[in-house]
Amino acid sequence: MSSNAIDHEVIVVGAGFSGIGAAIKLREAGFEDFLIVDEADGVGGTWHWNTYPGVAVDIPSFSYQFSFDQRASWSRVYAPGRELKAYAESCVDKYELRSRIRFGTTITEAEFDEDRHCWRLHTGDGTELTARFLISATGVLTRPKLPDIPGVADFDGVTMHTSRWDHGQDLRGKRVAIIGTGASAVQVIPEIAPAVDRLTVFQRTPIWCLPRPDLPLPKPVRLALRVPGGRTLTRLVSQTYVEFTFPISAHYYGTLPMAKLAERAGLAHLRRQVADPVIREKLTPRYGLGCKRPGFSNDYLATFNRNNVLLETDPIQEIIATGVRTSSGIEHPADVLILATGFKVMESGNMPTYDLRGVGGRDLEKWWDDNRLQAYEGVSVPGFPNFFSIIGPYGYNGSSYFALIEYQVRHILRCLRQARAANATLVEVTKAANDRFFQEMLARRDGQVFWQDSCALANSYYFDAHGDVPLRPSTTVEAAWRSGHFDMADYRFATGGR
């Protein structure tokens, strides 16, 4: 394919595992003219930005890795964040990708050039990059979401979001207030509670917290993983556990109400962990398990037995210079304010993390605002040729992100190979194919847990601004199969400009 004075055949935005996985498979398929760009100064995405105390993967490590590059050296069943960061670094070096990455490069906008059939990417430093194809590999757990609470900027103490942890701050002996009880809070709260003088946890919605089957992996186990077939068998067991934990229980709730069994396990875990019945009642969810992301921890709930930990469920009225004031007028003094308020996920400003304009100047965010979040197989959107998302609407089913990365990249490479074979410079999903897929996704959702009455009080980020839950209602096996068998006629391939 002629470069036609275009900088690169493919530009991948994001150097997390999505970008790394895409680059590895691009090289494997013979696509050498690619560049990865990332605003960070290192690889790893989520595991580069999130370094708070206790950060770890929340599914077994055996599933949270590439199927083609499985490690036998994880220290625990649930690997700590530093090991995931090291895994990202090792993949970059092993597959010789470092020279293909441009760090410190923020993409601010991308526009499709209809005359040249390429994407023009504008960067934060005013330079421009061009690419025939653009792959969005920006993740969902990197852009912090700040709380919409009056006075956040007025706090006189130290403020930090869990995803931008300041390791220069010593929390020993400090009065700490933490807002949020989601997955990040479940990990960080037990870690900092023993060190601080006072920890006040502000909870809006209690989280379902299940026991985590975690333990250190002794050397004999790690050696067993090196035996032929050891890693394959372990991954199969792990992936089966992950599949039943969320994709099957959430998406097939109507026919396989497994979540009910998990709810009983969660409530039993709560009873075992929390001594005070009043606190236990406050920590009891009033919505069905699966309506929002659950937590997995063996020590989060027990932390509320500590004398120096206060669970505050009174709504926050405002942040003041010296702490937090609730709606009942109670003021909680604090030296440090920790925002465990999550991330921008499937919303404006994160999908993608830059302005994207397609054919005729069509803005992707506005198109989604007008037409609801949708993308063919979670990858492509009509009107945005040569653009592919790894984490797009109805792409992720709740299993391992690595499974998502691999099947979405397989989909993308089928398109790129076909374009190369046809000497095509434009690849665009048809409107009919996209509409068909979107209607299929909507037709399946009646059996999902999200649409049960019990989810009304969940306050879940799974629900977007339109009230949809743009998760793929399928098993991982189905999603993977479809990535290799979708009808290529669902795409239009063309050569030459306007």
Side-chain angles (χ1 to χ4, degrees):
M1 183 181 294
S2 172
S3 66
N4 194 28
I6 292 171
D7 294 328
H8 298 281
E9 186 174 11
V10 183
I11 286 182
V12 180
V13 181
F17 282 115
S18 295
I20 292 169
I24 291 171
K25 290 302 179 179
L26 281 168
R27 298 198 81 167
E28 185 180 285
F31 292 87
E32 288 288 345
D33 184 12
F34 66 86
L35 176 71
I36 305 172
V37 297
D38 198 297
E39 63 185 359
D41 59 359
V43 300
T46 295
W47 307 103
H48 174 82
W49 292 112
N50 290 271
T51 62
Y52 58 82
V55 62
V57 66
D58 60 4
I59 67 171
S61 311
F62 314 114
S63 292
Y64 200 81
Q65 58 184 336
F66 292 118
S67 64
F68 55 83
D69 197 317
Q70 298 181 49
R71 290 185 63 174
S73 57
W74 302 116
S75 66
R76 306 186 63 86
V77 174
Y78 290 75
R82 65 179 180 278
E83 292 185 24
L84 274 303
K85 168 69 171 173
Y87 178 55
E89 297 282 359
S90 69
C91 287
V92 166
D93 291 333
K94 178 178 179 179
Y95 296 96
E96 300 180 345
L97 301 178
R98 203 166 294 277
S99 63
R100 307 298 187 90
I101 305 174
R102 182 180 296 182
F103 295 115
T105 302
T106 301
I107 303 300
T108 57
E109 60 179 304
E111 54 186 348
F112 187 68
D113 188 324
E114 297 178 58
D115 291 324
R116 299 172 64 199
H117 285 181
C118 73
W119 283 96
R120 305 169 69 92
L121 282 71
H122 303 277
T123 68
D125 62 7
T127 59
E128 181 181 280
L129 296 168
T130 55
R132 176 74 69 210
F133 302 104
L134 175 60
I135 298 178
S136 179
T138 53
V140 297
L141 301 179
T142 55
R143 295 270 169 154
K145 185 173 185 178
L146 301 180
D148 184 19
I149 300 174
V152 171
D154 299 330
F155 182 62
D156 281 345
V158 174
T159 301
M160 55 183 169
H161 192 277
T162 50
S163 67
R164 299 295 185 270
W165 195 268
D166 184 354
H167 291 275
Q169 297 297 326
D170 186 355
L171 300 185
R172 288 177 296 181
K174 299 290 181 62
R175 297 169 300 176
V176 178
I178 182 166
I179 299 176
T181 53
S184 298
V186 165
Q187 294 183 340
V188 74
I189 285 173
E191 291 293 318
I192 65 174
V196 304
D197 175 65
R198 183 73 167 171
L199 178 62
T200 306
V201 180
F202 293 88
Q203 172 186 275
R204 181 173 58 175
T205 307
I207 188 172
W208 277 103
C209 188
L210 300 170
R212 186 167 71 166
D214 188 24
L215 71 160
L217 292 180
K219 188 175 181 179
V221 174
R222 295 200 297 271
L223 289 175
L225 290 172
R226 299 182 185 277
V227 174
R231 273 171 279 186
T232 300
L233 177 60
T234 304
R235 183 181 177 86
L236 177 62
V237 173
S238 172
Q239 193 58 35
T240 301
Y241 167 76
V242 171
E243 199 73 4
F244 278 101
T245 300
F246 190 90
I248 291 177
S249 61
H251 300 312
Y252 299 91
Y253 180 87
T255 53
L256 294 170
M258 297 172 54
K260 291 293 185 182
L261 297 175
E263 283 183 12
R264 288 199 286 270
L267 293 174
H269 183 53
L270 176 59
R271 287 192 298 270
R272 289 192 301 268
Q273 291 265 303
V274 180
D276 189 325
V278 175
I279 297 176
R280 192 188 310 140
E281 181 69 14
K282 290 181 178 181
L283 289 167
T284 302
R286 306 301 176 194
Y287 57 90
L289 177 62
C291 297
K292 65 186 299 182
R293 185 182 180 188
F296 295 87
S297 175
N298 298 326
D299 49 14
Y300 166 71
L301 295 172
T303 304
F304 293 97
N305 294 322
R306 298 182 59 91
N307 293 329
N308 69 328
V309 176
L310 172 67
L311 177 64
E312 178 58 86
T313 57
D314 195 25
I316 297 175
Q317 182 182 67
E318 62 178 332
I319 307 295
I320 57 178
T322 56
V324 181
R325 178 183 293 133
T326 67
S327 59
S328 60
I330 299 174
E331 294 185 6
H332 297 274
D335 306 304
V336 179
L337 178 64
I338 298 174
L339 306 177
T341 47
F343 305 88
K344 293 182 177 181
V345 184
M346 294 186 180
E347 60 186 271
S348 297
N350 195 61
M351 288 187 61
T353 54
Y354 44 89
D355 294 332
L356 189 88
R357 294 191 298 276
V359 174
R362 175 185 292 180
D363 180 83
L364 181 58
E365 281 191 358
K366 185 178 187 306
W367 190 83
W368 272 335
D369 285 342
D370 294 340
N371 297 278
R372 302 161 70 178
L373 285 177
Q374 52 184 291
Y376 174 70
E377 297 286 344
V379 174
S380 303
V381 181
F384 298 87
N386 298 3
F387 172 74
F388 308 97
S389 291
I390 292 179
I391 306 179
Y394 299 100
Y396 180 52
N397 74 335
S399 180
S400 167
Y401 274 115
F402 280 83
L404 168 75
I405 293 165
E406 292 189 36
Y407 63 67
Q408 298 299 70
V409 170
R410 183 183 301 116
H411 180 124
I412 295 167
L413 281 173
R414 287 189 69 204
C415 294
L416 297 186
R417 287 194 188 96
Q418 179 67 20
R420 176 170 283 184
N423 199 31
T425 56
L426 182 144
V427 181
E428 181 182 8
V429 69
T430 66
K431 182 179 183 301
N434 179 74
D435 290 349
R436 184 183 70 245
F437 177 77
F438 185 46
Q439 290 307 313
E440 179 191 355
M441 295 297 100
L442 296 182
R444 288 186 174 197
R445 71 186 196 178
D446 286 346
Q448 293 178 299
V449 68
F450 315 115
W451 309 107
Q452 311 306 311
D453 291 341
S454 61
C455 284
L457 302 176
N459 189 34
S460 172
Y461 72 74
Y462 290 158
F463 291 86
D464 65 21
H466 299 278
D468 294 328
V469 178
L471 296 175
R472 180 191 287 261
S474 80
T475 63
T476 304
V477 170
E478 180 194 336
W481 185 89
R482 289 175 66 141
S483 70
H485 295 84
F486 65 87
D487 190 345
M488 292 304 299
D490 286 346
Y491 280 90
R492 178 174 72 93
F493 295 84
T495 302
R498 187 159 49 189

